[in-house]
Amino acid sequence: MFEWLFNYPIETWQGARLALSHSLPVWLIALAAIMGAIAIVVSLTRLPVSVANRSVIGSIQLVLLGIVLVMLLQPVLLVDEVRRDENAIAVLLDTSTSMNFPAASRPVADNSITRLDAAKNAFGPLQDEIQTTFDVQLYDFNTALNAQTDLQAAVGAGSGTDLAGALTELLDQSSADALASVIVLSDGSNNSTSLNIEWWNRIRLANVPIHTVAIGPELMANDVEIADVQLPDVALPDATIEARITLRHPQDSGQVRLRVRSGSELRVAEDVVLQPNATQTVHQFSLPTGNEGQQALTFDVDTSLADSNTVNNMTQRVLNVAPQPRRVLYVEGEPRWEYKFLRRALDQQKDVEVVSLLRTSPNKFYRQGVISPRELETGFPLTRAALFGYDAVIIGSLEAAELSVEQQANLRDYVAERGGALLMLGGSRGLADGGWGRSALQAVLPVSLQAGAGQSDITTFQRQRASVELTEFGRRADWLTLPAATDAPSFDGEGSADSLLSSHASWSSLPALANVQRVGPPRAGAQVLLQTQVSSQPVLIWQRYGKGRSYVLATSGTWRWQMSLPSEDQRHEVFWQSVMGELVRGVPDRVRVNAGPLVQRDQSNALVEVVAFDEEFNALVQDELQATLTQPDGQTQTLQLVPDLNRPAYFVGSVSYDQPGAYALEVKLPSNDTALEYDVHQNKGVGATRWMVEQGTAEYFNAGANAALLKRLAEETNGTFRTLADLDGLPSAVASFNNALTRQNELPLWNMPIVFLLLVLGKALEWALRLKWKRL
């Protein structure tokens, strides 16, 4: 009815603009309006009826006059019309190997429909509808973009998915004015390295809407995948490290058998129970390191499921086994039990090397753990370079005045600029009683220290026993987990509910500390991890400061745990080994090398990024930096890295792959012969990374539909996202959201039936009233 009255559908009216196309002078239209109005008034004055009746007749005649005058102005609808021969819609069909996986999310009787077949079957009927408005250009893509004449002939045989590269190539070869929008039919399992910030910015600026259609389930049925393996960067020879494996799996999948091999040697074989009602399981296990050297480890899981994808049941990692312990400087101001038992507790911790400086009498220090006669020969390091060579620093019962103003400033910068960790211990000459609250380090510490030193009637160090307990923050800190009483230091699972309850009970059953030291309130952002049970006095506190971290342990009485516990109880040792592990965790090295993911699948090259600092951790300034690349066959080559002008301390380059296997990249900075005190530190100017390169496996990992990527692609380009279930709405979405070239068309309105109907009805009403009043 609407289209019959107004000539055009309501959708046309909603997207159009009104305009006048007359060529008559405005004054002529105005004159006609005035003359018509005068004629109406004159005729009404001769009509022998009341004034009210005259007004009714006059109103009707004026309305009719207005309609006629408007039609004389020739109103039109301005409509933007898409011309098929001037606009194209590009359709990209993913033909990578992952599109050969089943399209169904769960096992069904007929599970032979692949994602590729499902996409072709669903889009085929819609192609004709889209072609009525647009010229449809067909492509398939995997590692490259290929033009097609018929998508039904496409075969899923691509060894990878480079969605970013395909879209970039499409935009480059198509005229931006002719490409109205893009339709992407894909599972979104992109495994290229092209998805970066620059690419996303380019896609936005192209101003071409991209409509994405997700094909396949996000989680594959009957598929257990090794999603990740986490190992330390460096491990000591003939030791045991904690490794972590993440498995992705369907819900209620039972258990799998985990095996770890180094060549033909079986290192680990154990069952892993998959988390019920979950799609991911994280399992922590102990892994023997073996002999020194670069080791290629193979991780595989064996499942009782009829696994639909067995390739992702295995992955590889490179483990660097080398004697490179982290070095911790421990400065103690007096011989005491805490010093003795602390060093004893760390005897078995081979990945941390404690270098101690013990003041035995005024101006006399006893050194332990030094690797050269020069190391610490003048006491506490005098230069930034010497101090910055350590990964962590512990200050015991030592007065602040023992360090010069420059040494205190260096220690402050050690935390703030170098990114090191500082632990201050309680003691009769430590913390506030040692004057540290008035030192250059007062802002570094996580608590404000109360007055003590210099005031004989006020001391914060109290020789009274106190039991401690974990705070809420302490219970969340995995590194403060203690084994049960008299148990060996082993754990069933990091952060598990059972281990946390056991750890809480273990802390509660510890003997009281021999002493505690009062500290002021924690600073904003600091966290209290341990406190006394009765008075809730802070005992262990930490905070971030600059690039590093600072800790305060307000006691020197943990030695009483060891003295009061059975010899087989390892909780004192575990505590201090955990503290040392926490101190050196994440402390940056002078040289950091990054070559991308630890496993690179189906890649031909990689970008290399090196961050390098000098001995004082200032950005290294050099024209170039040399790196040594070791290939899987043992051959080495030298890479030239150039400075990144936009980022100080950064050097960049690239590595090309011609064979799969284990790769290693090492950067060694030239030594400074003048920094004799610093040169005693091992491996501080060397950085390395190791990774695996695999071929033919990329499509089998993360093989579920990546709906998040496809959604973002649609949102960033003002397109739409949908799945096969709602694909019927795709033609209307393409018609509504596009960047098509349009031609403006004028649709006349003077001949609308509604106009003539109004004129007839108006005159009929007027004559009906005249008849009623008998005044024709």
Side-chain angles (χ1 to χ4, degrees):
M1 177 63 73
F2 184 91
E3 185 174 354
W4 182 83
L5 290 174
F6 294 92
N7 276 355
Y8 313 107
I10 189 172
E11 292 81 8
T12 302
W13 282 84
Q14 289 175 341
R17 304 183 304 277
L18 281 172
L20 300 174
S21 64
H22 69 91
S23 59
L24 299 175
V26 176
W27 65 265
L28 183 59
I29 301 298
L31 179 61
I34 294 172
M35 295 299 293
I38 292 175
I40 291 172
V41 172
V42 171
S43 65
L44 289 176
T45 58
R46 298 176 180 179
L47 192 64
V49 293
S50 65
V51 174
N53 291 343
R54 289 176 183 173
S55 300
V56 173
I57 298 296
S59 298
I60 294 173
Q61 291 179 345
L62 287 174
V63 169
L64 297 177
L65 176 63
I67 292 174
V68 172
L69 290 175
V70 170
M71 292 303 103
L72 289 175
L73 293 175
Q74 300 181 29
V76 294
L77 282 180
L78 299 181
V79 179
D80 293 331
E81 290 187 344
V82 175
R83 296 193 177 183
R84 184 179 182 278
D85 57 344
E86 295 180 348
N87 294 278
I89 298 292
V91 180
L92 275 64
L93 176 61
D94 187 349
T95 56
S96 60
T97 299
S98 63
M99 292 292 285
N100 289 327
F101 289 122
S105 59
R106 293 183 178 275
V108 293
D110 181 11
N111 203 22
S112 61
I113 301 298
T114 67
R115 300 174 187 177
L116 182 61
D117 289 337
K120 292 190 291 187
N121 295 342
F123 181 74
L126 303 179
Q127 182 175 336
D128 294 338
E129 185 176 349
I130 297 174
Q131 281 180 328
T132 60
T133 308
F134 300 96
D135 176 31
V136 176
Q137 300 175 355
L138 304 178
Y139 299 88
D140 67 37
F141 73 96
N142 37 74
T143 56
L145 183 69
N146 306 292
Q148 287 286 351
T149 57
D150 183 8
L151 291 183
Q152 297 300 321
V155 178
S159 61
T161 306
D162 188 2
L163 176 59
L167 288 172
T168 300
E169 184 178 351
L170 175 67
L171 294 175
D172 287 343
Q173 71 182 26
S174 301
S175 170
D177 295 334
L179 191 59
S181 64
V182 179
I183 298 174
V184 176
L185 306 168
S186 172
D187 56 14
S189 59
N190 182 79
N191 43 57
S192 73
T193 58
S194 305
L195 286 172
N196 50 39
I197 296 177
E198 291 76 13
W199 183 84
W200 283 107
N201 290 334
R202 180 177 182 181
I203 287 296
R204 294 188 200 100
L205 294 175
N207 197 29
V208 176
I210 299 177
H211 305 274
T212 57
V213 181
I215 314 295
E218 293 189 48
L219 185 66
M220 294 178 58
N222 289 349
D223 181 35
V224 178
E225 174 184 343
I226 300 179
D228 188 29
V229 175
Q230 295 181 358
L231 301 173
D233 293 335
V234 181
L236 296 175
D238 301 318
T240 299
I241 60 174
E242 292 300 312
R244 182 183 298 178
I245 187 170
T246 302
L247 302 176
R248 189 181 295 117
H249 55 84
Q251 297 184 9
D252 303 325
S253 299
Q255 70 178 25
V256 298
R257 184 71 172 172
L258 169 65
R259 296 184 180 88
V260 183
R261 293 182 174 86
S262 175
S264 60
E265 177 190 1
L266 181 64
R267 294 279 181 89
V268 174
E270 61 187 53
D271 292 329
V272 179
V273 177
L274 303 180
Q275 290 290 334
N277 302 317
T279 59
Q280 184 169 287
T281 296
V282 178
H283 177 69
Q284 184 168 313
F285 60 97
S286 298
L287 175 64
T289 60
N291 298 327
E292 180 178 348
Q294 178 177 294
Q295 301 180 8
L297 302 179
T298 301
F299 299 78
D300 69 81
V301 292
D302 184 14
T303 173
S304 59
L305 297 173
D307 203 321
S308 58
N309 177 11
T310 58
V311 176
N312 60 17
N313 295 161
M314 184 185 73
T315 190
Q316 296 178 298
R317 291 292 189 275
V318 180
L319 179 64
N320 181 27
V321 180
Q324 296 180 11
R326 293 284 188 172
R327 309 196 76 225
V328 177
L329 174 61
Y330 177 19
V331 183
E332 183 56 75
E334 58 182 337
R336 55 178 183 166
W337 291 111
E338 190 76 342
Y339 172 83
K340 173 182 177 180
F341 283 97
L342 188 157
R343 287 198 60 93
R344 182 182 295 178
L346 300 175
D347 283 344
Q348 301 303 316
Q349 190 174 17
K350 303 303 182 182
D351 57 343
V352 174
E353 189 174 83
V354 178
V355 183
S356 58
L357 189 65
L358 172 64
R359 185 177 62 183
T360 56
S361 61
N363 299 322
K364 187 176 181 180
F365 287 87
Y366 173 60
R367 297 177 293 165
Q368 284 184 279
V370 296
I371 58 176
S372 166
R374 297 192 191 92
E375 185 174 8
L376 303 178
E377 64 180 348
T378 59
F380 191 87
L382 298 176
T383 64
R384 286 166 57 101
L387 178 62
F388 285 16
Y390 296 99
D391 297 293
V393 175
I394 302 175
I395 303 294
S397 184
L398 182 75
E399 304 90 341
E402 186 69 32
L403 304 185
S404 67
V405 174
E406 182 180 1
Q407 287 174 316
Q408 292 181 24
N410 290 343
L411 190 55
R412 177 196 61 211
D413 295 342
Y414 169 82
V415 178
E417 299 177 12
R418 187 253 189 268
L422 171 66
L423 171 63
M424 301 288 291
L425 302 179
S428 59
R429 302 173 185 175
L431 299 179
D433 294 350
W436 290 100
R438 301 185 302 274
S439 70
L441 261 72
Q442 58 89 17
V444 177
L445 302 181
V447 290
S448 57
L449 299 180
Q450 299 176 352
Q455 303 182 34
S456 58
D457 57 336
I458 300 177
T459 58
T460 60
F461 184 73
Q462 301 169 331
R463 298 184 183 277
Q464 61 182 42
R465 296 178 181 177
S467 297
V468 295
E469 62 182 2
L470 292 170
T471 65
E472 183 63 30
F473 287 117
R475 285 190 287 271
R476 298 176 187 172
D478 292 333
W479 61 275
L480 284 177
T481 301
L482 288 183
T486 70
D487 282 353
S490 62
F491 307 96
D492 294 332
E494 184 175 326
S496 67
D498 292 342
S499 65
L500 292 177
L501 290 174
S502 174
S503 177
H504 181 70
S506 185
W507 276 100
S508 301
S509 63
L510 278 173
L513 298 171
N515 51 66
V516 291
Q517 189 159 4
R518 293 196 317 272
V519 294
R523 300 189 187 277
Q527 293 182 355
V528 179
L529 304 177
L530 286 176
Q531 63 184 13
T532 58
Q533 292 183 5
V534 177
S535 59
S536 298
Q537 178 179 328
V539 176
L540 177 59
I541 318 97
W542 85 282
Q543 74 167 1
R544 294 189 180 278
Y545 184 81
K547 296 180 180 179
R549 294 161 290 144
S550 64
Y551 300 77
V552 165
L553 180 61
T555 181
S556 62
T558 64
W559 59 268
R560 193 172 179 275
W561 295 345
Q562 184 66 10
M563 291 290 290
S564 304
L565 293 172
S567 59
E568 65 271 13
D569 195 307
Q570 297 291 302
R571 282 179 287 175
H572 178 260
E573 288 86 348
V574 169
F575 170 74
W576 276 110
Q577 290 171 13
S578 299
V579 169
M580 290 299 167
E582 170 66 10
L583 289 178
V584 301
R585 175 186 58 83
V587 174
D589 295 319
R590 273 186 62 201
V591 182
R592 301 192 292 274
V593 184
N594 180 24
L598 297 178
V599 177
Q600 300 182 23
R601 300 182 174 96
D602 298 331
Q603 302 296 324
S604 59
N605 57 73
L607 296 178
V608 175
E609 186 177 85
V610 174
V611 186
F613 300 91
D614 63 15
E615 294 89 344
E616 297 186 358
F617 271 75
N618 299 313
L620 185 67
V621 179
Q622 287 187 185
D623 293 336
E624 65 178 21
L625 198 62
Q626 289 190 345
T628 301
L629 175 68
T630 303
Q631 301 182 26
D633 59 3
Q635 298 293 320
T636 62
Q637 66 180 85
T638 301
L639 299 181
Q640 303 295 333
L641 308 179
V642 298
D644 186 335
L645 299 181
N646 297 320
R647 295 181 296 173
Y650 280 77
F651 295 80
V652 294
S654 63
V655 175
S656 297
Y657 304 137
D658 55 10
Q659 55 185 303
Y663 284 77
L665 187 69
E666 182 180 75
V667 175
K668 185 174 183 180
L669 301 183
S671 61
N672 183 357
D673 294 336
T674 61
L676 296 178
E677 187 181 12
Y678 179 80
D679 284 344
V680 299
H681 299 295
Q682 293 179 321
N683 302 316
K684 294 303 181 181
V686 177
T689 187
R690 292 162 178 83
W691 68 99
M692 295 295 301
V693 173
E694 297 180 356
Q695 298 296 333
T697 62
E699 286 291 299
Y700 297 89
F701 286 82
N702 296 312
N706 190 350
L709 171 62
L710 297 175
K711 284 180 181 177
R712 180 184 177 186
L713 184 57
E715 291 171 356
E716 295 281 359
T717 60
N718 295 319
T720 60
F721 167 82
R722 61 194 65 246
T723 62
L724 289 179
D726 57 350
L727 195 60
D728 291 342
L730 182 60
S732 61
V734 171
S736 301
F737 301 95
N738 59 69
N739 189 37
L741 276 175
T742 59
R743 299 283 185 172
Q744 193 173 82
N745 192 18
E746 294 184 358
L747 304 179
L749 300 178
W750 67 268
N751 58 351
M752 292 187 300
I754 188 66
V755 174
F756 299 101
L757 185 59
L758 289 175
L759 292 175
V760 171
L761 290 176
K763 293 306 294 184
L765 179 59
E766 178 187 349
W767 284 101
L769 292 175
R770 286 175 179 267
L771 287 172
K772 180 180 178 181
W773 298 327
K774 299 179 181 181
R775 289 295 185 267
L776 297 175

